[in-house]
Amino acid sequence: MALALAVNHVSLTVTDLDRSLAFWSGLLGLEPLPRPALGVDGAWLGIGSSAVHLIVLSEGRTDVGATPRTINPAAPHVALTVADYDATGYATAREST
């Protein structure tokens, strides 16, 4: 049985939000989604039941691209929808040792 059911969202860092929105929303037609305050600028765009999160890379940020010690909303990532969060966490921890 697959642990991952679907792609929930893909998060990409960008340097020019207007240019990125022109591509993702203007050209490709993704629709804007509500976005909570995350402490970083950006936009969320819907595509089917998934989303693309555009996160503006601010000057001086050195933690993007590094393995985060804690959740870092500015780090590029892929988020998967899973059937059982705890079982998936256990399985991935078991495989990484």
Side-chain angles (χ1 to χ4, degrees):
M1 176 172 105
L3 292 174
L5 302 177
V7 173
N8 180 278
H9 69 270
V10 175
S11 182
L12 306 170
T13 52
V14 301
T15 56
D16 186 332
L17 185 59
D18 291 334
R19 183 173 181 212
S20 297
L21 285 171
F23 174 76
W24 289 98
S25 188
L27 179 67
L28 297 180
L30 279 66
E31 294 291 329
L33 296 172
R35 181 178 179 267
L38 298 173
V40 292
D41 291 332
W44 287 4
L45 304 168
I47 179 169
S49 62
S50 298
V52 172
H53 295 180
L54 303 176
I55 306 298
V56 176
L57 180 61
S58 57
E59 287 186 42
R61 257 204 116 121
T62 59
D63 57 347
V64 175
T67 302
R69 294 183 191 168
T70 60
I71 293 174
N72 176 352
H77 61 275
V78 174
L80 302 174
T81 299
V82 297
D84 184 327
Y85 182 84
D86 292 331
T88 302
Y90 174 75
T92 56
R94 184 181 67 233
E95 289 296 320
S96 67
T97 58

